[in-house]
Amino acid sequence: MNMNLPPVAETVPECKLTIMNAGFCIIKKSHLLKGADPSDISVPSLFFLIKHPVHGNILFDTGYSTRYFEATKNFPFSLMNKITPVKITEKENAISQLLEKNITSKQIQTVILSHLHADHVGGISDFNYSTIYVSKKEWRYCQQPKLKLLFKGYLKQLFKNINLSSLKQLDFEESGCSYGPFFNTIDLFKDNSIILVPLPGHSIGQCGLLLNISNKERYFLIADSVYVKANYQKNKGGSLLSRIAHYNRKQYESNFPMLKQLEMDNPDLMIIPSHDPNLYSQFISK
Ligand SMILES: [Zn+2]
């Protein structure tokens, strides 16, 4: 399996990526990687700000937000906060951190959601002026009743107020094109800068984002295709409990060899899952 990416043209608009984090959940290390010691670990929830020279500010996911506490106040939704206790303060919400950088919600033109789990859509209600992209499959699936969704890791309350007029459903099957080794991708602005790649398995309609800046600087934001880079590097998933939480475990695990090959064939590609504590240390806490 050859996973070589096409070269980045010199004419590609020069985007800038800022890696940020909104909130942590506390879980056992072995949840991320089976065989790890059973002590607790603070797991980050990364989100990403991309500055595009033409299309403005783009977010990929929004992390947790303090709305999580409101959404999990009552039983049975409180079960989620029992299983994955969350730590976040108001000033750690994505919107507060962006305001610190003098970016208001009006200045976020686009939000792309990798999928609709609580740790990715936590802050979405703060971005009422943005066009919101989510895969059609994911959106349709999430029209189920909130109780059913709870047991799949979703808190419907966090995304039920998304304004349908600002929502754009990504239909990868219908409008996707191949890009190098990937099938059914969507070139968001048709300029080769942001390529959305379907990565189902963890959830039914998860998508990743390939950011082409130059041949020396490109990123693949893979959301929860793995929890930590060691999952694909060692071809080892998380604990049994974490594995049964995926929408399709076989499909999820089939991404491991693909990602390993992708990393080997593209040494300048930085693969970034959303919950790897090592990446948090590398990019955020210095
Ligand atoms: Zn997640």
Side-chain angles (χ1 to χ4, degrees):
M1 174 173 52
N2 177 328
M3 292 297 292
N4 280 311
L5 292 173
V8 179
E10 276 188 17
T11 50
V12 78
E14 200 174 329
C15 292
K16 189 178 174 301
L17 173 70
T18 307
I19 301 173
M20 302 173 77
N21 184 66
F24 296 88
C25 75
I26 317 297
I27 51 175
K28 304 240 172 287
K29 274 186 191 162
S30 54
H31 189 90
L32 301 176
L33 190 68
K34 99 185 135 190
D37 69 77
S39 59
D40 284 344
I41 185 169
S42 276
V43 175
S45 232
L46 302 179
F47 71 99
F48 306 85
L49 170 65
I50 300 167
K51 277 184 186 287
H52 186 291
V54 178
H55 296 281
N57 293 309
I58 298 142
L59 286 185
F60 182 63
D61 286 339
T62 63
Y64 279 116
S65 83
T66 45
R67 287 199 176 81
Y68 182 83
F69 304 122
E70 180 65 32
T72 56
K73 213 165 73 185
N74 299 319
F75 185 82
F77 302 94
S78 52
L79 289 172
M80 190 181 281
N81 198 28
K82 280 234 154 57
I83 297 167
T84 50
V86 169
K87 280 193 308 193
I88 186 166
T89 62
E90 291 274 343
K91 72 180 203 329
E92 291 164 343
N93 287 344
I95 187 66
S96 310
Q97 294 189 54
L98 290 166
L99 283 170
E100 282 278 302
K101 294 182 181 290
N102 294 314
I103 300 170
T104 65
S105 63
K106 277 192 176 160
Q107 292 166 320
I108 299 288
Q109 280 73 14
T110 304
V111 182
I112 302 154
L113 295 171
S114 63
H115 62 302
L116 296 174
H117 282 162
D119 49 338
H120 299 257
V121 301
I124 194 63
S125 308
D126 292 316
F127 300 98
N128 293 320
Y129 303 97
S130 319
T131 302
I132 298 169
Y133 288 89
V134 67
S135 97
K136 184 176 175 181
K137 268 196 176 163
E138 185 81 6
W139 185 257
R140 293 230 165 137
Y141 183 81
C142 288
Q143 301 316 301
Q144 295 180 71
K146 60 183 180 183
L147 250 183
K148 271 196 164 165
L149 285 177
L150 171 67
F151 296 101
K152 312 275 183 201
Y154 297 90
L155 284 174
K156 199 168 187 174
Q157 191 179 323
L158 296 174
F159 57 85
K160 69 170 199 243
N161 293 328
I162 289 180
N163 192 336
L164 288 180
S165 63
S166 59
L167 178 76
K168 290 205 174 161
Q169 297 180 48
L170 299 159
D171 191 341
F172 290 99
E173 281 78 19
E174 184 66 27
S175 45
C177 301
S178 62
Y179 181 84
F182 297 115
F183 301 111
N184 298 328
T185 67
I186 293 176
D187 181 346
L188 188 63
F189 300 124
K190 310 223 176 329
D191 62 5
N192 258 295
S193 60
I194 293 179
I195 312 288
L196 301 175
V197 181
L199 290 170
H202 172 68
S203 78
I204 190 170
Q206 180 179 252
C207 79
L209 186 156
L210 177 67
L211 176 63
N212 288 320
I213 298 176
S214 71
N215 284 309
K216 287 278 160 215
E217 191 184 6
R218 52 202 324 199
Y219 301 90
F220 192 23
L221 312 178
I222 60 166
D224 294 4
S225 297
V226 295
Y227 288 125
V228 291
K229 285 170 83 83
N231 292 139
Y232 69 80
Q233 287 166 339
K234 298 181 176 173
N235 196 22
K236 193 196 267 190
S239 64
L240 183 65
L241 182 72
S242 83
R243 278 152 59 219
I244 55 174
H246 302 301
Y247 171 74
N248 181 330
R249 184 163 61 89
K250 279 223 164 89
Q251 197 176 33
Y252 171 79
E253 286 172 358
S254 73
N255 285 322
F256 296 179
M258 180 276 285
L259 290 166
K260 189 172 181 177
Q261 192 66 40
L262 185 71
E263 191 165 75
M264 273 167 45
D265 291 345
N266 304 276
D268 292 312
L269 177 71
M270 181 79 202
I271 298 179
I272 306 186
S274 296
H275 302 300
D276 190 323
N278 292 328
L279 292 176
Y280 176 82
S281 312
Q282 186 179 338
F283 289 110
I284 299 176
S285 73
K286 292 193 182 92

